[in-house]
Amino acid sequence: MPIEIPTDLTPEIVPLSWLIGEWEGPGRLGAGDEESEHFLQHVSFTHNGLPYLQYRAESWLTDDEGTRLRPLAVETGFWALERKQREEDSGPGLTPGDIVPVLKSADEVEALRNSDGGFDISVSVAHPGGISELYYGQIKGPQIQLSTDMVMRGSHSKEYTAATRIFGLVDGKLLWRWDVATGKDPTPGGGLEAHASAILDKLS
């Protein structure tokens, strides 16, 4: 299935453009074995003309036939190519950037390719309960790999120390897997366990 690239994008988010839209589909908690609980997830990736995608995912526990039982989780964040911020960029806060995109052409974006032929990306995700994640990783065509560089927790948040996420576009479906570490394994970087996975269809 060919990937359609919208014509109104700032050049910098073209590598991420296959994510744009509304996605929905079923998933399983944990390792996805026979006793794993079912959930439904709705994901949106949108853009507003600035060099990042806005992300929101909402999930509900379901029975094994897909009937919603109760809300499960919500997360929201931002996805962007990883590069040094320039004076022309917007921020911090409400500081406006130049009206002209910092990277103005496909050639300037191509210059950001890494040695593996992909693009380095950063993803920030905020959760209820005082937890925020900062991921770094790579997007290479329709494949994404992310690992947390930092997990920020509030003083009363649950234990949560690290995570990895992978995404892929396969036959027009968005597949993802999320592994997390909750601090139970004391070895550095250890303790990652299967947390959830899903297969989402594109709605729009």
Side-chain angles (χ1 to χ4, degrees), residues 70-123:
R70 59 185 172 91
L72 177 60
V74 178
E75 60 180 22
T76 184
F78 302 93
W79 295 52
L81 296 191
E82 173 60 16
R83 63 167 176 80
K84 185 176 181 179
Q85 294 290 287
R86 303 180 188 175
E87 190 65 28
E88 310 96 291
D89 284 300
S90 60
L94 297 179
T95 306
D98 283 0
I99 192 170
V100 179
V102 173
L103 301 184
K104 304 172 184 63
S105 69
D107 287 341
E108 289 181 281
V109 175
E110 282 296 312
L112 295 179
R113 281 195 186 272
N114 58 33
S115 59
D116 194 37
F119 294 92
D120 296 328
I121 62 173
S122 62
V123 174

Side-chain angles (χ1 to χ4, degrees), residues 90-163:
S90 60
L94 297 179
T95 306
D98 283 0
I99 192 170
V100 179
V102 173
L103 301 184
K104 304 172 184 63
S105 69
D107 287 341
E108 289 181 281
V109 175
E110 282 296 312
L112 295 179
R113 281 195 186 272
N114 58 33
S115 59
D116 194 37
F119 294 92
D120 296 328
I121 62 173
S122 62
V123 174
S124 59
V125 179
H127 306 260
I131 292 177
S132 296
E133 304 159 304
L134 175 61
Y135 289 90
Y136 289 115
Q138 173 179 262
I139 183 168
K140 187 175 182 181
Q143 297 180 338
I144 297 169
Q145 295 183 328
L146 299 170
S147 297
T148 49
D149 179 71
M150 182 184 299
V151 175
M152 294 168 283
R153 297 188 299 112
S155 58
H156 298 290
S157 299
K158 292 184 177 180
E159 288 291 329
Y160 180 37
T161 59

